[in-house]
Amino acid sequence: MCSISFVNLISMSLSCFLLSLYFLLNDMIYFIEWELVSLNSMSIVMTFLFDWMSLLFMSFVLMISSLVIFYSKEYMMNDNYINRFIMLVLMFVLSMMLLIISPNLISILLGWDGLGLVSYCLVIYFQNIKSYNAGMLTALSNRIGDVALLLSIAWMLNYGSWNYIFYLEIMQNEFEMLMIGSLVMLAAMTKSAQIPFSSWLPAAMAAPTPVSALVHSSTLVTAGVYLLIRFNIILSTSWLGQLMLLLSGLTMFMAGLGANFEFDLKKIIALSTLSQLGLMMSILSMGFLKLAMFHLLTHALFKALLFMCAGAIIHNMNNSQDIRLMGGLSIHMPLTSACFNVSNLALCGMPFLAGFYSKDMILEIVSISNVNMFSFFLYYFSTGLTVSYSFRLVYYSMTGDLNCGSLNMLNDESWIMLRGMMGLLIMSIIGGSMLNWLIFPFPYMICLPIYMKLLTLFVCIVGGLFGYLISLSNLFFLNKSLFMYNLSTFLGSMWFMPYISTYGMIFYPLNYGQLVVKSFDQGWSEYFGGQHLYQKLSMYSKTLFLMHNNSLKIYLLLFVFWILILLILLFL
């Protein structure tokens, strides 16, 4: 099953890539209409949109999913139901394809809901309490976005068709279009885990690592960004873009800070994904859709590789994810460590790796754009934080001594996993420059003062040094964050967002529910109905039973009373 899926997906990916090149060079867009039902005057038409953007994204999704399935062959080897797992992943890829190629809100909703449901099934794949809670949080956070899409479908009834592509430019100043745009933005923010819906992404790390590599790094979470790339006209011509810029900038900042305090390997990578999503969203809200697309694709490559390496490490560490227990992995697992370091450097924006081309260009475009000081600070500070947590992760896991139990047999001979990683390693190195040549017809000439040009590099170096400093520890080490315990708790728990979106949402309804149950269900309603009524009726019937059944004395006494009453009534 794994091998068949791998071959099919990789060949589809290659064909999509070649088609996207053809479409890009000839500047073509194919709009395909497929009539499903024609009944009298009513016709139901399914529409597909093929342009270089959708084909390129499809080819990347297919390539990553093929390598992830190849990797799962060994990672999920001990699972008896591995075919079910592969089927779930394939269903996920299918809904993603439907979402990418549809210019129609109804078919987008189909793909969108498919993504939500399948991702729920994948998050609860390892069945324990933690997984169930994470799955519920994921499903319910995404449900908000689904409802927003349904509402936007209802608003589009005004236009006579759900093919939003036709109406974006003509109707961009109308109130209805603004309403649709804000609802779509809400949907994209839930799917791409922007503030205030960020807490589900780290929680979804309860899924198996191949799922994290495919779903929570490159495809599901970028679906929101992709939808906004399609709706970008509304963002850039209204106040929605400014709101989006603020929220995504804060997301980027919050995730970068949180990752510096985190000790769970997969959660650190999840927070870095969140930070990069914030970067894509914020550059998109400024109106640079090609740059957002470029970063989306390069990020998908190195982040999937990072998750795969993390999976290989967790596999070898006997399923432990705590980075404090790792150390010296570069000696024990050289090849995995090499892949890990390459993807980490690509994430930091190391020159000439995949992440450098997109991140550097985004930061320079921000420097020449008309943004305020706060946004500028968020962009650059978050970049520094990215380098900081990456270096901290490397120092904790790659250098020093192995801190786990001495019976762990670390080896680097999981060849199937390594082959899957090698494919993405090559793409992480050459992917950025390749896409840079393809997407932009002429090279961007960004003219800045020397200090502004070097600012990005300077921020990265300072971030790296900071990461080194916070990972230094010795035998009599006193953790500095204990001095400001409250602050570090606040920053390390994503600004309390996981608490707000779980306990915070549920505390008052549950409290109220308890009061209602206590005073109504088990209080007054018991008194006036149900048990109390039954008690009273049974008491009356017992009394009557006593009267009827007891003896002649009571009967005759009652008879005398009855005669007396009758006489009184007669003679009055």
Side-chain angles (χ1 to χ4, degrees):
M1 183 85 187
C2 290
S3 311
I4 299 167
S5 310
F6 168 70
V7 171
N8 276 327
L9 289 173
I10 200 89
S11 51
M12 281 164 66
S13 158
L14 202 59
S15 50
C16 278
F17 184 68
L18 294 173
L19 268 174
S20 78
L21 287 188
Y22 180 63
F23 277 47
L24 191 62
L25 292 174
N26 295 331
D27 205 13
M28 281 164 32
I29 295 179
Y30 272 17
F31 196 90
I32 295 173
E33 291 203 335
W34 171 35
E35 195 169 47
L36 292 175
V37 179
S38 178
L39 196 67
N40 298 338
S41 64
M42 181 197 71
S43 65
I44 296 175
V45 178
M46 180 103 178
T47 47
F48 299 118
L49 176 74
F50 292 99
D51 61 349
W52 67 269
M53 210 177 269
S54 59
L55 283 165
L56 198 58
F57 192 26
M58 258 168 52
S59 102
F60 271 60
V61 168
L62 286 165
M63 186 196 76
I64 291 170
S65 53
S66 69
L67 288 167
V68 163
I69 284 176
F70 188 70
Y71 171 92
S72 319
K73 188 175 181 178
E74 188 168 359
Y75 191 87
M76 307 292 285
M77 193 169 48
N78 300 327
D79 189 2
N80 290 334
Y81 301 105
I82 185 165
N83 283 353
R84 179 176 65 185
F85 176 75
I86 302 294
M87 280 303 214
L88 278 170
V89 173
L90 288 175
M91 276 164 63
F92 174 82
V93 173
L94 196 69
S95 4
M96 196 69 203
M97 297 297 109
L98 187 61
L99 182 119
I100 291 170
I101 57 174
S102 49
N104 184 306
L105 273 180
I106 302 273
S107 47
I108 275 188
L109 185 75
L110 284 175
W112 196 264
D113 257 357
L115 288 180
L117 293 171
V118 177
S119 88
Y120 173 68
C121 293
L122 286 169
V123 169
I124 62 166
Y125 191 80
F126 292 143
Q127 298 175 6
N128 53 44
I129 291 293
K130 196 181 162 199
S131 294
Y132 290 147
N133 289 339
M136 264 343 267
L137 183 57
T138 307
L140 293 176
S141 301
N142 284 328
R143 188 52 54 203
I144 300 170
D146 299 341
V147 169
L149 266 185
L150 279 168
L151 287 173
S152 63
I153 285 174
W155 274 96
M156 273 207 88
L157 280 169
N158 300 322
Y159 290 140
S161 155
W162 282 295
N163 292 349
Y164 62 86
I165 291 254
F166 300 146
Y167 303 113
L168 284 178
E169 256 174 290
I170 318 160
M171 305 286 187
Q172 58 186 353
N173 299 322
E174 307 239 335
F175 172 70
E176 285 92 350
M177 212 61 210
L178 191 68
M179 205 65 209
I180 293 165
S182 54
L183 286 166
V184 166
M185 193 178 94
L186 177 66
M189 278 168 61
T190 56
K191 197 59 101 179
S192 292
Q194 301 300 297
I195 286 176
F197 310 107
S198 304
S199 57
W200 71 262
L201 189 58
M205 290 297 114
T209 313
V211 173
S212 307
L214 174 67
V215 177
H216 303 119
S217 69
S218 48
T219 49
L220 172 89
V221 285
T222 52
V225 183
Y226 181 77
L227 192 62
L228 282 186
I229 287 175
R230 291 288 185 208
F231 272 87
N232 75 307
I233 295 170
I234 301 172
L235 280 184
S236 48
T237 54
S238 66
W239 51 268
L240 290 174
Q242 292 162 335
L243 178 65
M244 189 77 241
L245 179 63
L246 173 69
L247 288 175
S248 49
L250 285 174
T251 307
M252 183 163 57
F253 182 57
M254 177 270 303
L257 272 175
N260 277 306
F261 288 98
E262 188 59 64
F263 285 109
D264 185 320
L265 177 63
K266 283 179 76 175
K267 275 195 179 164
I268 291 176
I269 305 177
L271 286 167
S272 91
T273 302
L274 196 51
S275 173
Q276 301 306 306
L277 283 169
L279 183 64
M280 290 172 219
M281 284 285 204
S282 47
I283 196 69
L284 180 60
S285 59
M286 285 163 61
F288 299 99
L289 77 152
K290 273 191 172 180
L291 277 175
M293 189 71 193
F294 184 24
H295 191 59
L296 189 151
L297 295 172
T298 52
H299 167 260
L301 293 171
F302 59 74
K303 192 50 65 73
L305 176 61
L306 200 55
F307 265 118
M308 282 173 156
C309 296
I313 291 170
I314 290 167
H315 211 58
N316 260 331
M317 296 281 302
N318 241 340
N319 304 323
S320 148
Q321 298 185 11
D322 199 323
I323 59 167
R324 289 167 292 193
L325 301 181
M326 297 170 193
L329 290 180
S330 52
I331 303 163
H332 302 287
M333 306 170 65
L335 212 48
T336 308
S337 302
C339 295
F340 191 75
N341 282 336
V342 166
S343 51
N344 246 331
L345 287 172
L347 169 67
C348 297
M350 169 85 182
F352 314 116
L353 291 178
F356 164 73
Y357 289 95
S358 53
K359 273 186 95 162
D360 201 61
M361 198 182 290
I362 284 174
L363 288 172
E364 289 186 349
I365 290 279
V366 168
S367 301
I368 59 170
S369 290
N370 192 8
V371 287
N372 55 23
M373 197 62 210
F374 183 61
S375 300
F376 189 77
F377 165 76
L378 283 181
Y379 271 108
Y380 276 92
F381 200 73
S382 307
T383 306
L385 286 172
T386 301
V387 183
S388 159
Y389 64 69
S390 298
F391 273 67
R392 170 178 174 266
L393 182 57
V394 168
Y395 281 121
Y396 262 105
S397 57
M398 297 293 147
T399 59
D401 302 319
L402 192 61
N403 296 322
C404 64
S406 52
L407 285 174
N408 263 8
M409 295 293 290
L410 292 176
N411 67 348
D412 206 10
E413 291 176 17
S414 39
W415 284 117
I416 300 179
M417 297 210 288
L418 279 171
R419 271 188 224 134
M421 276 144 60
M422 284 295 155
L424 274 176
L425 177 73
I426 295 162
M427 288 305 291
S428 296
I429 296 169
I430 63 165
S433 55
M434 179 186 77
L435 285 170
N436 198 14
W437 290 330
L438 293 179
I439 294 181
F440 304 105
F442 47 87
Y444 265 105
M445 170 62 201
I446 302 169
C447 190
L448 284 170
I450 182 82
Y451 291 117
M452 296 288 276
K453 274 283 193 193
L454 292 179
L455 182 61
T456 319
L457 192 62
F458 175 69
V459 161
C460 288
I461 291 167
V462 169
L465 281 171
F466 188 70
Y468 173 64
L469 290 174
I470 56 175
S471 66
L472 280 179
S473 58
N474 51 23
L475 195 56
F476 302 106
F477 177 66
L478 178 64
N479 198 341
K480 306 296 183 294
S481 62
L482 291 176
F483 292 133
M484 297 178 288
Y485 183 71
N486 289 341
L487 181 68
S488 60
T489 310
F490 171 66
L491 297 177
S493 61
M494 296 171 66
W495 299 356
F496 298 143
M497 223 174 301
Y499 303 116
I500 291 166
S501 55
T502 49
Y503 308 125
M505 302 281 281
I506 216 162
F507 177 74
Y508 289 107
L510 280 182
N511 224 359
Y512 182 64
Q514 187 195 8
L515 283 173
V516 166
V517 165
K518 225 172 133 181
S519 50
F520 291 118
D521 277 19
Q522 292 166 0
W524 287 111
S525 70
E526 290 291 344
Y527 189 77
F528 283 125
Q531 292 297 316
H532 197 71
L533 194 65
Y534 165 73
Q535 245 171 332
K536 286 284 179 231
L537 284 171
S538 61
M539 199 177 76
Y540 294 147
S541 69
K542 274 178 190 168
T543 318
L544 284 170
F545 188 71
L546 195 77
M547 287 175 178
H548 292 166
N549 207 17
N550 195 352
S551 63
L552 204 60
K553 278 188 281 183
I554 294 176
Y555 180 71
L556 287 172
L557 198 62
L558 281 174
F559 185 69
V560 170
F561 276 135
W562 167 243
I563 294 293
L564 281 170
I565 290 166
L566 208 65
L567 287 169
I568 290 165
L569 285 172
L570 276 172
F571 290 115
L572 276 176

